[in-house]
Amino acid sequence: MRHFLRDDDLTPAEQAEVLDLAAALKADPYGVKSLAGPKTVAIIFDKATLRTQASFAAGVAELGGYPMIVDGNLAQIGTRESIADVARVLGRQASVIVWRTADQSRIDEMAAYAGVPVVNALTDQFHPCQTLADLLTIREHLGATTGLTMAFLGDAASNMSHSYLLSGAAAGMHVRVSGPDGYEPDPAILAKAQQVAAGTGGSASFVAEAKQAAEGADVLITDTWVSMGKEQEKADRAEVFQPWQLGADLMALGAPHAIAMHCLPAYRGKEITAEVLDGPRSVVWDEAENRRHVQKAILTWLLR
């Protein structure tokens, strides 16, 4: 049985297969009914959500299934009941379990006991559904991913940075993540991304200077400087991350055709300027839509 718990759960060939399927499902939204029955997909939210809930619920319905939304605050998974017991219960009620939670160890334990495929809808360490959506968006706007340079600017120790390293390397991209001192990526994840990139012709690196990371990049990406659970660091982060703000100056350093990306929610005037977010080179709304299409693809692929 296969799960999608982190980006490197898909080989480069499998990632390409899922992205091809996502493009086909986007072109024909109701042509595949992999959840006909309807089969139930349990979708659990321990953390705040908008795009994840909307895109999974809509996608499951388009596939002919039933999205069973579970409020993690009510379920109190790991407190009121053990993760293993919840997994055993939900695995008998649903064909797939989707979970947006905290530490990666929680979703790993869910997958160990569920008996059905489990999909990571965000953890503190990874956000693989988002990066699949971003790769589909890059394909649509730039024609391909292989050989392109992606620069992630901001908190390079974040779940988004880790997922871009792994997914971008698998897609044959040259991935640069950049952030202030003390906000470097997990060395083990960077090493894994470099190992993957060696087989795809890509590369993966941490670049200390924002301008150096942006130089010649085809894709410039940022995310909120204050991830969920880091709210107490808001003031300190606003000061230290300022040189990594994605504004016109950094966009000008990218390739002439460079696109700007953000997984949302975005805070104009903080990690990204309104000029860039709402400008002609921004593809953020395509990213938000593409969450639905890639998630339909990964659900369909796992059930096959």
Side-chain angles (χ1 to χ4, degrees):
M1 178 178 302
R2 298 291 296 274
H3 305 284
F4 189 47
L5 308 180
R6 45 186 280 170
D7 304 76
D8 53 349
D9 281 342
L10 297 178
T11 67
E14 289 169 343
Q15 181 197 75
E17 183 180 345
V18 170
L19 289 172
D20 287 344
L21 178 57
L25 291 172
K26 184 172 183 177
D28 185 10
Y30 305 103
V32 173
K33 297 295 184 183
S34 55
L35 293 173
K39 295 180 180 178
T40 296
V41 176
I43 310 172
I44 314 165
F45 296 105
D46 293 347
K47 293 192 173 190
T49 180
L50 170 65
R51 278 152 299 280
T52 300
Q53 181 170 344
S55 59
F56 264 112
V60 168
E62 288 182 0
L63 291 173
Y66 169 68
M68 180 174 67
I69 306 299
V70 179
D71 184 339
N73 292 321
L74 291 177
Q76 300 179 42
I77 300 171
T79 302
R80 181 170 177 267
E81 293 184 79
S82 70
I83 294 172
D85 285 356
V86 171
R88 292 182 181 105
V89 169
L90 289 180
R92 294 188 177 211
Q93 304 291 347
S95 297
V96 183
I97 297 171
V98 176
W99 197 10
R100 184 179 179 92
T101 190
D103 193 76
Q104 185 73 16
S105 62
R106 289 170 61 80
I107 201 165
D108 288 343
E109 185 174 355
M110 180 72 78
Y113 290 94
V116 297
V118 175
V119 176
N120 181 348
L122 177 142
T123 61
D124 293 343
Q125 288 79 20
F126 303 101
H127 197 358
C129 289
Q130 179 64 55
T131 49
L132 276 181
D134 293 349
L135 291 174
L136 179 62
T137 307
I138 292 167
R139 278 186 172 199
E140 291 174 342
H141 285 270
L142 300 180
T145 56
T146 304
L148 298 183
T149 297
M150 168 194 290
F152 175 79
L153 310 166
D155 185 356
S158 68
N159 53 2
M160 290 308 307
S161 173
H162 292 157
S163 278
Y164 283 126
L165 283 166
L166 293 173
S167 65
M173 301 185 76
H174 300 289
V175 185
R176 306 168 184 164
V177 298
S178 179
D181 185 43
Y183 296 91
E184 298 90 353
D186 183 322
I189 295 172
L190 177 57
K192 180 61 184 297
Q194 290 170 338
Q195 177 186 347
V196 172
T200 64
S203 63
S205 61
F206 172 75
V207 179
E209 296 294 329
K211 292 182 178 179
Q212 183 182 355
E215 184 71 38
D218 302 286
V219 184
L220 290 94
I221 309 174
T222 191
D223 185 22
T224 177
W225 291 337
V226 186
S227 298
M228 287 178 279
K230 305 291 185 180
E231 290 80 6
Q232 72 280 6
E233 303 174 19
K234 183 175 182 179
D236 293 339
R237 284 174 174 247
E239 181 177 355
V240 74
F241 280 103
Q242 189 59 40
W244 283 264
Q245 181 187 69
L246 184 52
D249 55 340
L250 290 181
M251 287 300 301
L253 295 174
H257 56 262
I259 56 176
M261 306 186 82
H262 192 306
C263 69
L264 302 175
Y267 301 93
R268 294 167 175 83
K270 298 295 185 182
E271 74 276 3
I272 191 167
T273 64
E275 177 186 10
V276 172
L277 184 71
D278 301 311
R281 300 169 81 178
S282 169
V283 298
V284 298
W285 315 117
D286 293 338
E287 290 178 77
E289 177 190 344
N290 283 339
R291 285 288 300 278
R292 182 168 90 257
H293 307 305
V294 298
Q295 288 161 185
K296 288 172 66 177
I298 196 66
L299 291 172
T300 300
W301 189 86
L302 287 172
L303 288 171
R304 284 179 179 174

Short mmCIF file of all heavy atoms in Angstrom, two decimals, residues 19 127-140 145 150 160 164 167 219 221 259 261-263 283-284 286-288 290-291 294:
data_model
loop_
_atom_site.label_atom_id
_atom_site.label_comp_id
_atom_site.label_asym_id
_atom_site.label_seq_id
_atom_site.Cartn_x
_atom_site.Cartn_y
_atom_site.Cartn_z
N LEU A 19 1.57 14.28 -12.20
CA LEU A 19 1.36 15.60 -12.80
C LEU A 19 0.67 15.49 -14.16
O LEU A 19 -0.19 16.32 -14.49
CB LEU A 19 2.70 16.33 -12.94
CG LEU A 19 3.32 16.80 -11.61
CD1 LEU A 19 4.74 17.32 -11.84
CD2 LEU A 19 2.47 17.87 -10.94
N HIS A 127 4.85 19.91 3.00
CA HIS A 127 3.54 20.27 2.44
C HIS A 127 3.51 19.79 0.98
O HIS A 127 3.49 20.56 0.04
CB HIS A 127 3.34 21.78 2.50
CG HIS A 127 1.92 22.22 2.34
ND1 HIS A 127 0.89 21.35 2.09
CD2 HIS A 127 1.36 23.46 2.37
CE1 HIS A 127 -0.24 22.03 1.99
NE2 HIS A 127 0.01 23.31 2.16
N PRO A 128 3.49 18.46 0.78
CA PRO A 128 3.70 17.91 -0.56
C PRO A 128 2.58 18.16 -1.55
O PRO A 128 2.83 18.21 -2.76
CB PRO A 128 3.90 16.42 -0.29
CG PRO A 128 3.17 16.16 0.98
CD PRO A 128 3.36 17.40 1.80
N CYS A 129 1.34 18.31 -1.10
CA CYS A 129 0.26 18.60 -2.04
C CYS A 129 0.44 19.99 -2.64
O CYS A 129 0.15 20.21 -3.83
CB CYS A 129 -1.10 18.49 -1.35
SG CYS A 129 -1.58 16.80 -0.95
N GLN A 130 0.92 20.94 -1.84
CA GLN A 130 1.14 22.29 -2.35
C GLN A 130 2.23 22.30 -3.41
O GLN A 130 2.09 22.96 -4.44
CB GLN A 130 1.53 23.23 -1.21
CG GLN A 130 1.80 24.66 -1.66
CD GLN A 130 0.57 25.33 -2.24
OE1 GLN A 130 -0.46 25.38 -1.59
NE2 GLN A 130 0.67 25.84 -3.46
N THR A 131 3.31 21.59 -3.18
CA THR A 131 4.40 21.64 -4.16
C THR A 131 4.03 20.91 -5.45
O THR A 131 4.50 21.30 -6.53
CB THR A 131 5.71 21.08 -3.57
OG1 THR A 131 5.47 19.82 -2.95
CG2 THR A 131 6.27 22.04 -2.53
N LEU A 132 3.19 19.89 -5.37
CA LEU A 132 2.67 19.29 -6.61
C LEU A 132 1.88 20.33 -7.40
O LEU A 132 2.01 20.43 -8.63
CB LEU A 132 1.79 18.09 -6.30
CG LEU A 132 2.44 16.73 -6.07
CD1 LEU A 132 1.36 15.68 -5.81
CD2 LEU A 132 3.31 16.31 -7.25
N ALA A 133 1.04 21.10 -6.70
CA ALA A 133 0.26 22.15 -7.37
C ALA A 133 1.18 23.18 -8.01
O ALA A 133 0.93 23.67 -9.12
CB ALA A 133 -0.68 22.82 -6.37
N ASP A 134 2.26 23.50 -7.33
CA ASP A 134 3.19 24.48 -7.86
C ASP A 134 3.91 23.95 -9.10
O ASP A 134 4.12 24.69 -10.07
CB ASP A 134 4.20 24.89 -6.78
CG ASP A 134 3.54 25.65 -5.64
OD1 ASP A 134 2.36 26.03 -5.78
OD2 ASP A 134 4.20 25.86 -4.61
N LEU A 135 4.28 22.69 -9.08
CA LEU A 135 4.93 22.11 -10.26
C LEU A 135 3.99 22.08 -11.45
O LEU A 135 4.41 22.35 -12.59
CB LEU A 135 5.43 20.69 -9.95
CG LEU A 135 6.60 20.60 -8.95
CD1 LEU A 135 6.88 19.14 -8.62
CD2 LEU A 135 7.85 21.28 -9.50
N LEU A 136 2.71 21.77 -11.23
CA LEU A 136 1.74 21.82 -12.32
C LEU A 136 1.62 23.24 -12.86
O LEU A 136 1.56 23.45 -14.09
CB LEU A 136 0.37 21.32 -11.84
CG LEU A 136 -0.75 21.33 -12.88
CD1 LEU A 136 -0.43 20.42 -14.05
CD2 LEU A 136 -2.08 20.93 -12.23
N THR A 137 1.63 24.22 -11.97
CA THR A 137 1.54 25.63 -12.39
C THR A 137 2.76 26.05 -13.18
O THR A 137 2.65 26.76 -14.19
CB THR A 137 1.38 26.52 -11.14
OG1 THR A 137 0.28 26.05 -10.36
CG2 THR A 137 1.12 27.97 -11.54
N ILE A 138 3.93 25.60 -12.77
CA ILE A 138 5.16 25.91 -13.51
C ILE A 138 5.10 25.30 -14.91
O ILE A 138 5.46 25.95 -15.90
CB ILE A 138 6.39 25.41 -12.73
CG1 ILE A 138 6.58 26.23 -11.45
CG2 ILE A 138 7.66 25.49 -13.60
CD1 ILE A 138 7.56 25.61 -10.47
N ARG A 139 4.66 24.06 -14.99
CA ARG A 139 4.50 23.42 -16.31
C ARG A 139 3.59 24.26 -17.21
O ARG A 139 3.89 24.46 -18.39
CB ARG A 139 3.87 22.03 -16.13
CG ARG A 139 4.79 20.90 -15.77
CD ARG A 139 3.93 19.63 -15.81
NE ARG A 139 4.70 18.40 -15.67
CZ ARG A 139 4.24 17.21 -16.03
NH1 ARG A 139 3.02 17.11 -16.54
NH2 ARG A 139 4.95 16.12 -15.87
N GLU A 140 2.49 24.72 -16.66
CA GLU A 140 1.51 25.47 -17.45
C GLU A 140 2.07 26.79 -17.96
O GLU A 140 1.80 27.20 -19.09
CB GLU A 140 0.25 25.73 -16.62
CG GLU A 140 -0.55 24.47 -16.32
CD GLU A 140 -1.71 24.74 -15.36
OE1 GLU A 140 -1.69 25.78 -14.67
OE2 GLU A 140 -2.62 23.91 -15.31
N THR A 145 9.51 21.64 -16.36
CA THR A 145 10.23 21.93 -15.12
C THR A 145 11.73 21.63 -15.26
O THR A 145 12.56 22.32 -14.66
CB THR A 145 9.67 21.08 -13.95
OG1 THR A 145 9.74 19.69 -14.30
CG2 THR A 145 8.23 21.48 -13.65
N MET A 150 14.54 27.32 -9.54
CA MET A 150 13.54 27.74 -8.58
C MET A 150 14.24 28.32 -7.36
O MET A 150 15.14 27.69 -6.80
CB MET A 150 12.70 26.52 -8.16
CG MET A 150 11.81 26.73 -6.95
SD MET A 150 11.19 25.15 -6.29
CE MET A 150 10.06 24.64 -7.57
N MET A 160 7.63 24.36 3.72
CA MET A 160 7.62 24.67 2.29
C MET A 160 9.01 24.54 1.69
O MET A 160 9.18 24.00 0.59
CB MET A 160 7.05 26.07 2.04
CG MET A 160 5.56 26.20 2.31
SD MET A 160 4.54 24.94 1.47
CE MET A 160 5.08 25.12 -0.22
N TYR A 164 9.92 22.01 -1.32
CA TYR A 164 10.46 22.49 -2.59
C TYR A 164 11.79 21.81 -2.92
O TYR A 164 12.06 21.48 -4.07
CB TYR A 164 10.65 24.00 -2.56
CG TYR A 164 9.37 24.78 -2.72
CD1 TYR A 164 9.00 25.74 -1.80
CD2 TYR A 164 8.52 24.55 -3.81
CE1 TYR A 164 7.82 26.45 -1.94
CE2 TYR A 164 7.35 25.24 -3.96
CZ TYR A 164 6.99 26.21 -3.01
OH TYR A 164 5.82 26.90 -3.15
N SER A 167 10.69 18.07 -3.98
CA SER A 167 9.86 17.98 -5.18
C SER A 167 10.55 18.62 -6.38
O SER A 167 10.47 18.10 -7.51
CB SER A 167 8.50 18.65 -4.94
OG SER A 167 8.64 20.04 -4.72
N VAL A 219 11.71 30.86 -11.46
CA VAL A 219 10.57 30.86 -10.53
C VAL A 219 11.06 31.42 -9.21
O VAL A 219 12.04 30.92 -8.65
CB VAL A 219 10.03 29.44 -10.31
CG1 VAL A 219 8.80 29.47 -9.42
CG2 VAL A 219 9.72 28.75 -11.63
N ILE A 221 9.80 32.22 -5.33
CA ILE A 221 8.74 31.78 -4.43
C ILE A 221 8.99 32.31 -3.02
O ILE A 221 10.14 32.38 -2.57
CB ILE A 221 8.67 30.25 -4.36
CG1 ILE A 221 8.62 29.63 -5.77
CG2 ILE A 221 7.49 29.78 -3.52
CD1 ILE A 221 8.70 28.13 -5.77
N ILE A 259 8.36 33.92 -13.05
CA ILE A 259 7.05 34.02 -12.42
C ILE A 259 7.21 34.07 -10.90
O ILE A 259 8.20 33.58 -10.35
CB ILE A 259 6.12 32.86 -12.83
CG1 ILE A 259 6.78 31.50 -12.50
CG2 ILE A 259 5.77 32.94 -14.30
CD1 ILE A 259 5.86 30.30 -12.78
N MET A 261 5.51 33.13 -7.14
CA MET A 261 4.60 32.17 -6.55
C MET A 261 4.51 32.37 -5.04
O MET A 261 5.47 32.81 -4.39
CB MET A 261 5.04 30.74 -6.87
CG MET A 261 5.23 30.46 -8.34
SD MET A 261 5.60 28.73 -8.73
CE MET A 261 3.97 28.03 -8.71
N HIS A 262 3.37 32.01 -4.47
CA HIS A 262 3.12 32.07 -3.03
C HIS A 262 1.99 31.10 -2.75
O HIS A 262 0.96 31.13 -3.41
CB HIS A 262 2.72 33.49 -2.63
CG HIS A 262 2.74 33.76 -1.15
ND1 HIS A 262 2.04 32.99 -0.24
CD2 HIS A 262 3.35 34.72 -0.42
CE1 HIS A 262 2.23 33.46 0.98
NE2 HIS A 262 3.01 34.51 0.90
N CYS A 263 2.14 30.24 -1.73
CA CYS A 263 1.13 29.22 -1.47
C CYS A 263 -0.09 29.77 -0.75
O CYS A 263 -1.10 29.07 -0.66
CB CYS A 263 1.74 28.05 -0.71
SG CYS A 263 2.21 28.42 0.99
N VAL A 283 1.40 34.14 -10.30
CA VAL A 283 0.55 33.01 -10.72
C VAL A 283 -0.10 32.36 -9.50
O VAL A 283 -0.48 31.18 -9.54
CB VAL A 283 1.36 31.97 -11.53
CG1 VAL A 283 1.90 32.60 -12.81
CG2 VAL A 283 2.51 31.38 -10.70
N VAL A 284 -0.26 33.11 -8.42
CA VAL A 284 -0.70 32.53 -7.15
C VAL A 284 -2.12 31.98 -7.23
O VAL A 284 -2.44 30.98 -6.57
CB VAL A 284 -0.59 33.53 -5.99
CG1 VAL A 284 0.86 33.96 -5.78
CG2 VAL A 284 -1.47 34.75 -6.21
N ASP A 286 -3.55 30.65 -9.86
CA ASP A 286 -3.46 29.37 -10.56
C ASP A 286 -2.97 28.28 -9.62
O ASP A 286 -3.45 27.14 -9.66
CB ASP A 286 -2.51 29.48 -11.75
CG ASP A 286 -3.04 30.39 -12.85
OD1 ASP A 286 -4.26 30.60 -12.90
OD2 ASP A 286 -2.23 30.90 -13.64
N GLU A 287 -2.00 28.62 -8.76
CA GLU A 287 -1.53 27.66 -7.76
C GLU A 287 -2.68 27.19 -6.88
O GLU A 287 -2.82 25.99 -6.60
CB GLU A 287 -0.50 28.31 -6.84
CG GLU A 287 0.85 28.63 -7.41
CD GLU A 287 1.69 29.30 -6.34
OE1 GLU A 287 2.19 28.59 -5.45
OE2 GLU A 287 1.84 30.53 -6.38
N ALA A 288 -3.47 28.17 -6.41
CA ALA A 288 -4.58 27.84 -5.50
C ALA A 288 -5.58 26.90 -6.18
O ALA A 288 -6.06 25.94 -5.57
CB ALA A 288 -5.26 29.12 -5.03
N ASN A 290 -4.91 24.88 -8.70
CA ASN A 290 -4.27 23.61 -9.04
C ASN A 290 -4.14 22.66 -7.87
O ASN A 290 -3.88 21.46 -8.07
CB ASN A 290 -2.91 23.87 -9.69
CG ASN A 290 -3.06 24.31 -11.14
OD1 ASN A 290 -4.08 24.05 -11.78
ND2 ASN A 290 -2.04 24.97 -11.68
N ARG A 291 -4.35 23.15 -6.64
CA ARG A 291 -4.39 22.23 -5.51
C ARG A 291 -5.45 21.16 -5.76
O ARG A 291 -5.24 19.98 -5.49
CB ARG A 291 -4.71 23.00 -4.21
CG ARG A 291 -3.55 23.81 -3.65
CD ARG A 291 -2.47 22.93 -3.05
NE ARG A 291 -3.00 22.13 -1.97
CZ ARG A 291 -3.15 22.57 -0.72
NH1 ARG A 291 -2.83 23.82 -0.41
NH2 ARG A 291 -3.61 21.77 0.22
N VAL A 294 -4.24 18.49 -8.58
CA VAL A 294 -3.18 17.55 -8.20
C VAL A 294 -3.64 16.63 -7.08
O VAL A 294 -3.24 15.46 -7.02
CB VAL A 294 -1.87 18.28 -7.80
CG1 VAL A 294 -1.31 19.07 -8.97
CG2 VAL A 294 -2.04 19.15 -6.57
#
